[in-house]
Amino acid sequence: MSNSFVLVINSGSSSLKFAVIDSVSGDAIVSGLGECFGLPEAVISWKHNGEKVEESIDQPDNHHQHAINRIVALMDSLGFTADLVAIGHRIVHGGEKFTSTVRITETVTAEIEKLADLAPLHNPAGAIGIRAAMAAFPSLPQFAVFDTAFHQTMPEKAFTGAISNELYTEYGIRRYGFHGTSHYFVSREAAKMLNKPVEESSFISVHLGNGASVCAISNGQSVDTSMGFTPLSGLMMGTRCGDLDPGIIEFLMKKGWSQEKVFDALNKKSGFLGVSGITSDARGVLEAMEEGHEGAKLAFEVFTYRVAKYIGSYMIPLDHLDAVIFTGGIGENSLPIRSEILRNLKLLGFVEDEKANADARFGASGIVAKSELLGAVAMVIPTNEEFVIAQQSVELL
């Protein structure tokens, strides 16, 4: 059995994803999910050797701790405990404090909790997961990998908001960006595919899923990204609005909307769901569009147009372009969405290879379009954020 297994934990406010990753190959030996925490239907499930097991969590509270305890028992029963070398935690927000992966101490955990203002749903849950894992695996080194860390290389002109400087100095209001582990991973994989050092490569990474973001990557470093102070800005997403005139918030509040109602609408009732009026799932939107649903057609057009617009604008921070990289659940699998984005990039010279684009789905990577004008390609690369967390944890060992 390999001696480089890392248990990767991703704690959400009402869920906990976990996986045992081989830090050399990137393979997930076991993967699982605890969900519906805080509700009577809370469950934990996992897959191992193609077999899926699910069981209810019958404790009335502290579901995170129970899920971790169940993972401990699972590791023991499968014989993995002795082969675990580290535990890696995905933490959403590192602010300006954390610019790279760090080994977890009580001080680090307290700092993650202090950053809860910047990620109120995610950071407290991440800290709960850390404390539960520290109690369950006291002898294993544990590491925090931050979604925001990759973007800490952005120049000041890219992360500074055009607002009073005291809002930055007092409250830390600036562009932070997210999906950093995904953008980091696919840019390294793209450089390998092109047989070019990542330090000499320029990419526009397009992570499209229920959350979506674009990142300009120059010489291996993030130089701009579409998500901002929170994951609400940038692209249209499953239920998030993306870029929006902030005056709309004042307008709605003057109409009697509460602050809570406004932000619930922007975070949970916008995006694909809001524009289509039927679903937040891109697959459902495409099916409805094929059946002639006008709202679904409009959602498809708004989404693909906005993605293409961001790709075009992210030529600006780069001195050349090697590739546009599609990744994430939608970016890896949705042929119609990729095709339409590429059609919207016609002025940049991209010509789709229809067969290659159809082939590069469901776990397959590949070059799907070329631009003679730019000397660049468009490619699909499945992301593997857990592998990044495992690798960076082992590197720090």
Side-chain angles (χ1 to χ4, degrees), residues 282-332:
R283 292 164 296 190
V285 166
L286 292 171
E287 284 168 17
M289 186 173 77
E290 284 172 18
E291 292 163 7
H293 191 285
E294 287 300 317
K297 181 172 180 282
L298 181 60
F300 170 82
E301 289 175 347
V302 173
F303 181 76
T304 51
Y305 171 70
R306 286 187 170 203
V307 174
K309 196 162 70 161
Y310 255 102
I311 292 170
S313 70
Y314 277 13
M315 298 286 291
I316 302 300
L318 304 177
D319 55 13
H320 72 282
L321 181 68
D322 292 302
V324 172
I325 310 163
F326 291 103
T327 193
I330 296 170
E332 293 167 28

Side-chain angles (χ1 to χ4, degrees), residues 84-145:
L84 291 176
V85 295
I87 297 178
H89 295 264
R90 178 195 176 219
I91 302 297
V92 166
H93 219 306
E96 291 184 310
K97 178 81 181 176
F98 297 105
T99 59
S100 61
T101 297
V102 294
R103 187 161 180 164
I104 293 170
T105 62
E106 179 53 42
T107 307
V108 167
T109 310
E111 289 287 351
I112 289 168
E113 288 171 326
K114 269 191 208 168
L115 291 164
D117 268 3
L118 299 179
L121 286 179
H122 296 97
N123 272 37
I128 289 168
I130 286 171
R131 293 191 188 281
M134 295 288 266
F137 298 95
S139 60
L140 273 183
Q142 304 202 25
F143 301 89
V145 181

